Every structure is written in C-alpha cells, then in structure tokens.
Amino acid sequence: MNDRTRTAWMFLAPMLVLMAAVAGWPLARSVWFSLTETNINDMSASRFVGLDNYFGAYGLFFNPNNTDGFWASEWGTSIRNTFVFAICSVVLETLFGLGVALLLNQEFKGRTLVRTAVLVPWAIPTIVSARMWGWMLHDQFGIVNQMLLDWGVISHKIAWTADPSFALWTVVGVDVWKTTPFMALLILAALQTLNKDMYEAARVDGVHPLRVFFRITLPLIKQPLIVAVIFRLLDALRIFDLIFVLTSNSSSTISMSGFVRNQMVDNGNLGFGSAASTSLTLIILLTTVLFLKAARVKLSEGAS
Amino acid sequence: MNEQRPLLGTAVLYLLAALVVVISVYPFVYMLATSFKTGTALFDTSLLPKAPTWRNYDQLFHGHQPFGRHLLNSIMVATVTVAIALAMGITASYALGRIRFRGKSALLLAILAVSMFPQVAVLSGMFELMQAIGLYNEAIGLVVPYTIFTLPFTVWVLTTFMRGLPGELEEAAIMDGCGPVRIIFQVFMPLLWPALVSTGMLAFIGAWNEFLFALTFVNDDAQRTVPVSISLISGANAYEIPWGSIMAASVIVTVPLVLMVLVFQRKIVSGLTAGAVKG
C-alpha cells in the first residue's frame, strides 16, 4: 500500500465508521427484526419466527385471511398507491419539467425573474406545502373550490383531500407542483451544455422545430434526463410526509412507508413493520434495476 | 435566434412565462396573505387582507405550543448535522476525488445507494439504536438519523467538485512538500468554499425539512422540530383548525429558506446538478 492510498483510507475512515454505525447497523437490525415478533414497547421480549412476517398466516404476502385478494389488503393498497403516485408524478414532472426547461432556455426579457419564481415551490418545505395546499383545497373555505365554482368548472364543492376518488390525485398534483422545478433545473442544466451551432444549422436548413427537438435535443439530453428520472423515482417510491399530512394518514391513500410506520409505531408490531420495510427496500431495488435495464444505462459509467 | 421569432411565438412565450410565474408563486403569496387574517376574514379568499393583523404570529409564541422552542430545536439540529457532514465530507471527498485507489468506484456507488435509500428501511433498527444510546426523545438525537442522508449527499457532491479542481495546483503543492491535510485546508480551501456553502445549504434544507424521523423519534412536545410542530397544530374539531396560525408558522419556516434559495440560486443549482446530473 503506497502513501497516497494509505492517506485515502485514513481520510475515508471517519466517514465509513460513522456510516456503518448510523446506517449499516440499523439496517442490519431492521432486517433481523423482520424475522422476529417484537413489540415496540418491550423489545427485549423478541421471538424468532423465521419468514412468518412475510409468508405466514398473517404475513404480508399470500395471506390466506385476505379473502378479497392481495390488492384489497392494506399492504396491497399501499403498494398500489405508492406505484400509482410514483409513476404518475414522475411522468408529469418530467413532461412539465421539460416544458419549463425549454421555456427557460429561450432568450426573452425577464427570464431571470421566471427562473427565480420557479425555485419558490422547491424552496417550500414539504410539510408546509402540504398544509398550504390543504388550506387552499379545503372543501368549505378553500380558494380552489371557490375559483372552480366561480368559473363554472364544478357545480358543487369537492373534498379534494378526503374523498377517496380524488385524494391520491390531489397528492400527485401537489407533488408535481412542488417538484417540477427540480426536474426543470436539472434538464435546463443539461440543455445549456448543448452546442448552439447545431441549432443554427438546423434553423438555416429550415428543419421544423418539433423535428429538431425529437431528433437533436432529446437524444442529446437522454442520459442526464434518465439520471434525473431515476433520482425522482427513488424519491417518489419512499413518499411519506406529503401523504401523511395532506390526507391525514387516511387508509385510502396510505403509501408503503406510511404502512410501515403505522405497523411499527401505531400498532407496535416492530417485527411485522420491519418485514414491510425490508420488502419495500427490495421492491425499490428491483424497480431501479428493471428501470436501468429498460433505459439501458449503467450507473457505474457516471461514478467512474 | 431571438430576432426572427414570429410575433405570435413571442406572445405565446410570454403568456407561458407568466403562467409559470403565477402557478409557482401564487400559493406562497396566498399563504402569506392568510397568515395576516383572523376570524371570519379567513374565509374571504381575496389576496389582500382587509384588516391585516399580527395576531396569528403573536399567538404562535404565546400559545400552548412552544413554537419558539421548536424553531431553536430545528436550527440546532440542522446546524450540527451540517457541521458533522461537512467535517467528514471534506477529507472523504478529497480521497474520493483526488486519489486513485482500488475499490473507489464501488465505494462511490455504495455512497450513492445509501443516499437514495428509503428512510423507513432503517426505522426499527434506528429506534433501537436511539434508545440504546439514550438519544430517543431528544431533539439533538435527530442528528444521528439525519447523518444517514446528509453525509452521503455531502460526500457525493463535494467529490464532484474536488475532481474538477486543477491538478497543477496540487502537483505544485506536493513539490513544495505539502502534505494532504495542508493541500486540502490551505491550497484547495479558497477554491472549495463556494462548493461548501452550496452543499452545506442543501444539507441544511434537507435536515430542516425532515419529517419521518422527527415524528417517530421525538414524542416530548418541548423537543419537537418545526415540520412536526406545524403538522400537529390543530383545533378542538375539524371546524376549528387554526388555519391562520398554521399559515403564520409556515411563513416563519419558509421565508428564510426562500430568501436563502433566491440569494444563492446559482450556487444551489450548481450543487444540485453536481449531485444529480453527473451521477
């Protein structure tokens, strides 16, 4: 081992030790708990039950007590909610983000002002944005219902956050409002690295702008776009705070993370909750791998 | 390409720009307006309060919830978290960004993986750890779980900055007999501090906004942080939710962030893109 290498490991040691202590150890313990029956109030009285929390009579999967089928169970609902939320919000955020980025990439008076304004939703904490929209979407006194009534879009006031047929879509909407700026800024950064001459040439040749977009711009920003989408997808799949606050932890909009917390803290089933959190981690991991396969990118390319 | 844009295109462009600005800013302005309304004025949806009042703000600090204490808790937790992340991140990112050694790519990938991890994955193990080290129910204890996401993020972003620093500078310093510690803190520091500011700020925002751990590991009212505090403000029943106070608390928590983001927007955007696009 030469001097430089020794320095490198010495410099990394404090971080590695700390990460092992605060992330590695708790993760290992959580996986262990998932194989036990443990109550949060008396953790010493833990009993090893093998894979019962996953596949047992009251387990997460193949539970014979779910007479209405897996997707009707609370766990199934939380998986479905999480994926509906993640896919819809990420698709919308990517499309809107692309639109806003293309807009900000144009030269016009007041562009700086628009870019600054776009940052505002991103700067607002999630909890604040949840409560703020909770107020604006209030069924009785909310400004959104008021506006839509005035414009004649709806005929009666809607309980956006409480009505199960609207609540999840409301969550998607609020998340899109808050996170589109993040996507727009990442895409804008990619757009600004593109060569201007190419566009000049395309314009001189009279190529239709839409064709320019699909044939030149999109292929060139594909790589950073996919990375941004992965970041968002991973973030969306672990959603908790927005749903918990905006829809008051209701069972119709519960997410996987919400399910885990409910089981662990509210019901005290640390073991069962850990099984759910471990499953959640595996599901996210699997989704990421599948997505990367489908998008044909290797993450190691960027990390080298 | 600006001068040849047709008139219609220009009109559409400005219309879209105006729409984007209104959608982005209006909710924030409405929140600000609501925070100055009380009583029945709350149900009036106009943007300008007819009788603006500070009562909501006043009540926050003199009500039954110690909001001032929650603010101090949040500031303390976020500051300590950032200090730890930066202190460890600087040396670690020097090793990852400037030194070639075996296993580096794997390590970087592991760091990225940890920062993308779902927080609930460690919830039960962290609960046990916090109780074991006696930090459960203490605001300052939240530094422990917050390090899980701030430290990998800090290391990752600083590594991309370190990698971009000129190699000649380091070579010259080595020629002059500088050790790695002096290279980091005397040669690189002047170039590095903008990156430290932006990374530190993003990490601060992350810790400031965190909700799941704060909700789970702190039950004592005096030890809470502001996101939990805001989520818990409620009235005696569904019709008595003190929306004015909630909005006032939200404004207090948000305005510093919005100002910070607006003032440092270039630095923050470069930090974000270093953290994601190059990833």
Side-chain angles (χ1 to χ4, degrees), chain A residues 70-112:
Chain A
F70 176 71
W71 296 108
S73 69
E74 204 189 350
W75 171 238
T77 309
S78 75
I79 295 179
R80 199 182 47 224
N81 283 343
T82 307
F83 274 89
V84 168
F85 166 80
I87 292 168
C88 294
S89 64
V90 172
V91 167
L92 289 173
E93 282 153 19
T94 310
L95 292 179
F96 285 135
L98 203 54
V100 173
L102 288 171
L103 179 74
L104 289 175
N105 202 32
Q106 304 290 318
E107 277 170 36
F108 61 94
K109 279 202 193 84
R111 179 169 72 160
T112 338

Coordinates of all heavy atoms in Angstrom, one line a residue, chain A residues 70-112:
Chain A
F70 N -55.1 -10.1 -2.6 CA -54.0 -9.3 -2.1 C -54.1 -7.8 -2.3 O -53.8 -7.0 -1.3 CB -52.7 -9.8 -2.9 CG -51.5 -9.0 -2.5 CD1 -50.9 -9.2 -1.3 CD2 -50.9 -8.1 -3.4 CE1 -49.7 -8.5 -0.9 CE2 -49.7 -7.4 -3.1 CZ -49.2 -7.6 -1.9
W71 N -54.6 -7.4 -3.4 CA -54.7 -5.9 -3.7 C -55.7 -5.2 -2.9 O -55.7 -4.0 -2.8 CB -54.9 -5.7 -5.2 CG -53.7 -6.2 -6.0 CD1 -53.7 -7.3 -6.8 CD2 -52.4 -5.6 -6.0 NE1 -52.4 -7.5 -7.3 CE2 -51.6 -6.5 -6.8 CE3 -51.8 -4.5 -5.4 CZ2 -50.3 -6.3 -7.1 CZ3 -50.4 -4.3 -5.6 CH2 -49.7 -5.2 -6.5
A72 N -56.6 -5.9 -2.2 CA -57.6 -5.3 -1.3 C -57.1 -5.1 0.1 O -57.6 -4.4 0.9 CB -58.9 -6.1 -1.3
S73 N -56.0 -5.9 0.4 CA -55.4 -5.7 1.8 C -54.8 -4.4 1.9 O -54.5 -3.7 0.9 CB -54.4 -6.8 2.0 OG -53.3 -6.6 1.2
E74 N -54.5 -4.0 3.2 CA -53.9 -2.7 3.4 C -52.6 -2.5 2.8 O -52.2 -1.5 2.2 CB -53.9 -2.3 4.9 CG -53.9 -0.8 5.1 CD -53.6 -0.5 6.6 OE1 -53.6 -1.4 7.4 OE2 -53.4 0.7 6.9
W75 N -51.8 -3.6 2.9 CA -50.4 -3.7 2.3 C -50.5 -3.6 0.8 O -49.8 -2.8 0.2 CB -49.7 -5.0 2.8 CG -48.4 -5.3 2.2 CD1 -48.1 -6.4 1.5 CD2 -47.2 -4.5 2.2 NE1 -46.8 -6.4 1.1 CE2 -46.2 -5.2 1.5 CE3 -46.9 -3.2 2.7 CZ2 -44.9 -4.7 1.2 CZ3 -45.6 -2.8 2.5 CH2 -44.6 -3.5 1.8
G76 N -51.4 -4.4 0.2 CA -51.6 -4.3 -1.2 C -52.0 -2.9 -1.7 O -51.4 -2.4 -2.7
T77 N -52.9 -2.3 -1.0 CA -53.3 -1.0 -1.3 C -52.2 0.0 -1.2 O -52.0 0.9 -2.1 CB -54.4 -0.5 -0.3 OG1 -55.4 -1.5 -0.2 CG2 -55.0 0.8 -0.7
S78 N -51.3 -0.1 -0.2 CA -50.2 0.8 -0.1 C -49.2 0.6 -1.2 O -48.7 1.6 -1.7 CB -49.5 0.6 1.3 OG -48.7 -0.6 1.3
I79 N -49.0 -0.6 -1.7 CA -48.1 -0.8 -2.8 C -48.7 -0.2 -4.1 O -48.0 0.6 -4.8 CB -47.9 -2.3 -3.1 CG1 -47.2 -3.0 -1.9 CG2 -47.1 -2.5 -4.4 CD1 -46.9 -4.4 -2.1
R80 N -50.0 -0.4 -4.3 CA -50.7 0.2 -5.5 C -50.6 1.7 -5.4 O -50.2 2.3 -6.4 CB -52.1 -0.3 -5.6 CG -52.7 -0.2 -7.0 CD -54.1 -0.6 -7.1 NE -54.9 -0.1 -6.0 CZ -55.7 -0.8 -5.2 NH1 -56.0 -2.0 -5.5 NH2 -56.4 -0.2 -4.2
N81 N -51.0 2.3 -4.2 CA -50.9 3.7 -4.1 C -49.6 4.3 -4.4 O -49.4 5.3 -5.1 CB -51.3 4.1 -2.7 CG -52.8 4.0 -2.4 OD1 -53.6 4.0 -3.4 ND2 -53.2 4.0 -1.2
T82 N -48.5 3.6 -3.8 CA -47.2 4.1 -4.0 C -46.8 4.1 -5.5 O -46.2 5.1 -6.0 CB -46.2 3.3 -3.2 OG1 -46.6 3.2 -1.8 CG2 -44.8 3.9 -3.2
F83 N -47.1 3.0 -6.2 CA -46.7 3.0 -7.6 C -47.5 3.9 -8.5 O -47.0 4.6 -9.3 CB -46.7 1.5 -8.1 CG -45.5 0.8 -7.8 CD1 -45.3 0.1 -6.6 CD2 -44.4 0.9 -8.7 CE1 -44.1 -0.5 -6.3 CE2 -43.2 0.3 -8.4 CZ -43.0 -0.4 -7.2
V84 N -48.8 4.0 -8.2 CA -49.7 5.0 -8.9 C -49.1 6.4 -8.7 O -48.9 7.1 -9.7 CB -51.1 4.9 -8.5 CG1 -51.9 6.1 -9.1 CG2 -51.8 3.6 -9.0
F85 N -48.8 6.7 -7.5 CA -48.3 8.0 -7.2 C -47.0 8.2 -7.9 O -46.7 9.2 -8.5 CB -48.1 8.2 -5.6 CG -47.3 9.4 -5.3 CD1 -47.8 10.7 -5.3 CD2 -45.9 9.2 -5.0 CE1 -47.0 11.7 -5.0 CE2 -45.1 10.3 -4.7 CZ -45.7 11.6 -4.7
A86 N -46.0 7.3 -7.7 CA -44.7 7.5 -8.2 C -44.7 7.6 -9.7 O -44.1 8.5 -10.3 CB -43.8 6.3 -7.8
I87 N -45.4 6.7 -10.4 CA -45.4 6.7 -11.9 C -46.0 8.0 -12.4 O -45.4 8.7 -13.2 CB -46.0 5.5 -12.4 CG1 -45.2 4.2 -12.1 CG2 -46.2 5.6 -14.0 CD1 -45.8 2.9 -12.4
C88 N -47.2 8.3 -11.9 CA -47.9 9.5 -12.4 C -47.1 10.7 -12.1 O -47.0 11.6 -13.0 CB -49.3 9.6 -11.8 SG -50.4 8.2 -12.3
S89 N -46.7 10.9 -10.9 CA -46.0 12.2 -10.5 C -44.7 12.3 -11.3 O -44.4 13.4 -11.8 CB -45.8 12.3 -9.0 OG -44.9 11.3 -8.6
V90 N -43.9 11.2 -11.5 CA -42.6 11.3 -12.2 C -42.9 11.6 -13.6 O -42.2 12.5 -14.2 CB -41.8 10.1 -12.0 CG1 -40.5 10.1 -12.8 CG2 -41.4 9.9 -10.5
V91 N -43.9 11.0 -14.3 CA -44.1 11.2 -15.7 C -44.5 12.7 -15.9 O -44.0 13.4 -16.7 CB -45.2 10.3 -16.2 CG1 -45.8 10.8 -17.5 CG2 -44.7 8.9 -16.3
L92 N -45.5 13.2 -15.0 CA -45.9 14.6 -15.2 C -44.8 15.5 -14.9 O -44.6 16.5 -15.6 CB -47.1 14.8 -14.2 CG -48.4 14.1 -14.6 CD1 -49.5 14.3 -13.5 CD2 -48.9 14.7 -15.9
E93 N -44.0 15.3 -13.8 CA -42.9 16.2 -13.5 C -41.9 16.2 -14.6 O -41.3 17.3 -14.9 CB -42.2 15.7 -12.2 CG -43.0 16.1 -11.0 CD -42.8 15.2 -9.8 OE1 -41.7 14.5 -9.8 OE2 -43.6 15.2 -8.9
T94 N -41.6 15.1 -15.3 CA -40.7 15.1 -16.4 C -41.2 15.9 -17.5 O -40.5 16.7 -18.1 CB -40.4 13.6 -16.8 OG1 -40.1 12.8 -15.7 CG2 -39.3 13.6 -17.8
L95 N -42.5 15.7 -17.9 CA -43.0 16.4 -19.0 C -43.1 17.9 -18.7 O -42.6 18.7 -19.5 CB -44.5 15.9 -19.3 CG -44.5 14.5 -19.9 CD1 -46.0 14.1 -20.1 CD2 -43.7 14.4 -21.2
F96 N -43.6 18.3 -17.6 CA -43.7 19.7 -17.2 C -42.3 20.3 -17.1 O -42.0 21.4 -17.5 CB -44.5 19.9 -15.9 CG -46.0 19.8 -16.1 CD1 -46.7 19.1 -15.2 CD2 -46.6 20.4 -17.2 CE1 -48.1 18.9 -15.4 CE2 -48.0 20.3 -17.4 CZ -48.7 19.5 -16.5
G97 N -41.4 19.5 -16.4 CA -40.0 20.0 -16.2 C -39.3 20.2 -17.5 O -38.7 21.3 -17.7
L98 N -39.6 19.3 -18.5 CA -39.0 19.5 -19.8 C -39.6 20.8 -20.5 O -38.8 21.6 -21.0 CB -39.4 18.3 -20.7 CG -38.6 18.0 -21.9 CD1 -37.1 17.8 -21.5 CD2 -39.1 16.7 -22.5
G99 N -40.9 21.0 -20.3 CA -41.5 22.2 -20.9 C -40.9 23.5 -20.3 O -40.5 24.4 -21.0
V100 N -40.9 23.5 -18.9 CA -40.4 24.7 -18.3 C -38.9 24.9 -18.6 O -38.5 26.1 -18.9 CB -40.5 24.6 -16.7 CG1 -39.9 25.7 -16.0 CG2 -42.0 24.5 -16.4
A101 N -38.1 23.8 -18.7 CA -36.7 24.0 -19.1 C -36.5 24.5 -20.5 O -35.7 25.4 -20.7 CB -36.0 22.6 -18.9
L102 N -37.4 24.0 -21.4 CA -37.3 24.6 -22.8 C -37.7 26.0 -22.8 O -37.0 26.8 -23.5 CB -38.2 23.8 -23.7 CG -37.7 22.3 -24.0 CD1 -38.8 21.6 -24.8 CD2 -36.4 22.4 -24.9
L103 N -38.6 26.4 -22.0 CA -39.1 27.8 -21.9 C -37.9 28.6 -21.4 O -37.6 29.7 -21.9 CB -40.3 27.9 -21.0 CG -40.9 29.3 -20.8 CD1 -41.6 29.8 -22.0 CD2 -41.8 29.3 -19.6
L104 N -37.3 28.2 -20.3 CA -36.2 29.0 -19.7 C -35.0 29.0 -20.5 O -34.1 29.8 -20.3 CB -35.9 28.4 -18.3 CG -36.9 28.6 -17.2 CD1 -36.5 27.9 -15.9 CD2 -37.1 30.1 -16.9
N105 N -34.9 28.1 -21.5 CA -33.7 28.0 -22.4 C -33.8 29.0 -23.5 O -32.9 29.3 -24.2 CB -33.5 26.6 -22.9 CG -32.1 26.3 -23.4 OD1 -31.2 26.9 -22.8 ND2 -32.0 25.5 -24.4
Q106 N -35.0 29.6 -23.7 CA -35.2 30.6 -24.7 C -34.7 32.0 -24.1 O -34.6 32.2 -22.9 CB -36.7 30.8 -25.0 CG -37.4 29.6 -25.4 CD -37.0 29.2 -26.8 OE1 -36.9 30.0 -27.7 NE2 -36.8 27.9 -27.0
E107 N -34.4 32.9 -25.1 CA -33.9 34.2 -24.6 C -35.1 35.1 -24.6 O -35.8 35.3 -25.7 CB -32.8 34.7 -25.5 CG -31.5 34.2 -25.1 CD -30.4 34.5 -26.1 OE1 -30.5 35.6 -26.7 OE2 -29.5 33.6 -26.3
F108 N -35.5 35.7 -23.5 CA -36.5 36.7 -23.5 C -36.4 37.6 -22.3 O -35.6 37.2 -21.3 CB -37.9 36.0 -23.5 CG -38.2 35.2 -22.3 CD1 -38.9 35.7 -21.2 CD2 -37.9 33.8 -22.3 CE1 -39.1 34.9 -20.1 CE2 -38.2 33.0 -21.3 CZ -38.8 33.5 -20.1
K109 N -37.0 38.7 -22.3 CA -36.8 39.7 -21.2 C -37.5 39.1 -20.0 O -38.6 38.5 -20.1 CB -37.5 41.0 -21.6 CG -36.7 41.9 -22.4 CD -37.2 43.4 -22.3 CE -36.6 44.2 -23.3 NZ -37.3 44.2 -24.6
G110 N -36.8 39.2 -18.8 CA -37.4 38.7 -17.6 C -37.2 37.2 -17.4 O -37.8 36.6 -16.5
R111 N -36.3 36.6 -18.1 CA -36.0 35.2 -18.0 C -35.5 34.9 -16.6 O -35.9 33.9 -15.9 CB -35.0 34.7 -19.0 CG -34.7 33.3 -18.9 CD -33.9 32.8 -20.1 NE -32.5 33.3 -20.1 CZ -31.6 32.7 -20.7 NH1 -31.8 31.7 -21.5 NH2 -30.3 33.2 -20.7
T112 N -34.6 35.7 -16.1 CA -34.0 35.5 -14.7 C -35.2 35.5 -13.7 O -35.2 34.7 -12.8 CB -33.0 36.6 -14.4 OG1 -32.6 37.2 -15.6 CG2 -31.9 36.1 -13.6

